[in-house]
Amino acid sequence: MPPKAAAAGTAEPTEGREVFSPDGTITRVISKQVKTAASAAAVKATAAEVTALQNTGPSASRFDMVIVGDGYTASQTGLLRQHAQAKWNEIAATAPWNKYRQLINVWLVNVRSNQSGVDNDPSPGINRDTALDMRFFCEGLERLLCLNESKAKAYAAQAPGVDAIVAVGNTTKYGGAGYPSLATASGGNAQSGRIAIHELGHSVGGLADEYDTPGTTYPGGEPREPNVTTDPRGAKWASYLGRNTPDGGVIGAYQGGRYYERGIYRPSQDSLMRNINKPFNLIGLIAMERAISSKIS
């Protein structure tokens, strides 16, 4: 995902996008997109029907997840619901979401598009008239599934509450992307839900990526995220050192993370923030639990 504003004394890499491979590995590419005044401007969304996939209580005392769709026509409302339900089921089966499943509201915004599908599917040059402008081959990368973030947020705002946003596209092709405010995933692809779960680690838990780029050295001060540190002893998570972690092994200080190979350390060898086919490590799990539970009373 593109990095958020840096804390004092922290070096941030140039804005980039995460690229996900079906084998679970993640790489990062520098963004070439130029934000225009039109894309940055406030967007008004057409009124859309909002239904509950799951309503567990008032939004003031619940975590509210909102799912929006793109490339679903008026006659494909049922297909959108099917895809949205499948993505929520996958998220809800993953720790720590499974712990709070019965305390989370899940809202589906039935965004209607004029045409079915997403741009550049299956190949570049195929354009479709959709509400959120979803497209493959974003940044020239085949499986990077981008959209108009402002439009997606405007539609999501029609839900009773918004604590996290997942945007699903009407496609069976594997792909997804991360934004500061939301995650995208292919609605009809069974593997793409893992992308959304990883991106919720960023947007909900404030977690850093734990993968690295070979040959790079971290140049900054102590990062703000709870799961990376410049301290080779791992003092940031000292009380958990040596404890078993759900992604395998024990909590320690493993060099590499936050896009750099050297000079920065992560808590475990291979967690969800490094490989989307893994679970969160213990430090990430704790951060996610705190973030989710803070919205629940």
Side-chain angles (χ1 to χ4, degrees):
M1 66 174 286
K4 299 178 182 177
T10 301
E12 285 285 5
T14 307
E15 183 174 350
R17 291 270 187 256
E18 291 186 293
V19 182
F20 301 89
S21 299
D23 66 0
T25 56
I26 315 169
T27 54
R28 186 171 175 276
V29 297
I30 301 304
S31 175
K32 303 183 186 73
Q33 289 184 333
V34 177
K35 196 173 210 180
T36 64
S39 64
V43 173
K44 290 185 178 180
T46 303
E49 179 190 19
V50 179
T51 59
L53 296 183
Q54 177 172 296
N55 187 350
T56 65
S59 290
S61 60
R62 293 292 185 266
F63 187 99
D64 289 285
M65 181 171 291
V66 182
I67 301 177
V68 297
D70 194 40
Y72 299 87
T73 63
S75 65
Q76 293 179 313
T77 301
L79 180 62
L80 170 57
R81 187 179 182 92
Q82 176 187 327
H83 287 174
Q85 186 69 59
K87 291 295 173 282
W88 165 240
N89 289 346
E90 186 172 1
I91 293 168
T94 304
W97 297 101
N98 55 357
K99 180 177 179 179
Y100 298 97
R101 181 170 188 163
Q102 299 308 318
L103 297 171
I104 296 174
N105 292 331
V106 185
W107 308 106
L108 173 61
V109 182
N110 291 301
V111 182
R112 293 184 179 180
S113 292
N114 291 327
Q115 291 184 305
S116 176
V118 300
D119 288 352
N120 302 326
D121 182 16
S123 57
I126 297 175
N127 297 313
R128 296 179 171 93
D129 182 7
T130 66
L132 306 182
D133 306 323
M134 253 193 198
R135 61 201 182 278
F136 282 111
F137 288 92
C138 182
E139 308 288 352
L141 299 163
E142 181 177 0
R143 298 186 184 277
L144 193 57
L145 184 60
C146 293
L147 48 52
N148 186 310
E149 185 181 10
S150 296
K151 289 182 180 180
K153 289 170 65 177
Y155 274 105
Q158 298 183 35
V162 184
D163 294 313
I165 305 170
V166 175
V168 296
N170 188 8
T171 175
T172 58
K173 182 174 182 172
Y174 176 81
Y179 290 81
S181 63
L182 58 87
T184 74
S186 304
N189 185 281
Q191 288 181 276
S192 69
R194 297 298 302 177
I195 297 175
I197 296 167
H198 169 95
E199 291 299 340
L200 289 168
H202 293 305
S203 60
V204 174
L207 297 173
D209 286 305
E210 295 179 9
Y211 58 90
D212 58 78
T213 303
T216 56
T217 300
Y218 181 70
E222 180 62 23
R224 68 189 181 282
E225 298 95 339
N227 61 322
V228 284
T229 183
T230 56
D231 183 356
R233 301 166 299 171
K236 196 171 192 173
W237 44 80
S239 59
Y240 301 98
L241 290 172
R243 290 181 58 176
N244 291 334
T245 177
D247 56 316
V250 299
I251 295 297
Y254 301 84
Q255 187 159 222
R258 209 169 183 267
Y259 321 124
Y260 295 96
E261 183 181 22
R262 296 181 295 272
I264 194 164
Y265 301 84
R266 62 188 187 277
S268 68
Q269 190 64 261
D270 204 20
S271 83
L272 175 60
M273 302 313 291
R274 187 174 175 90
N275 183 312
I276 61 172
N277 290 331
K278 297 284 186 175
F280 284 112
N281 59 35
L282 183 58
I283 306 306
L285 198 61
I286 291 167
M288 290 295 291
E289 287 202 17
R290 286 174 178 166
I292 296 169
S293 64
S294 70
K295 304 291 185 180
I296 297 169
S297 62

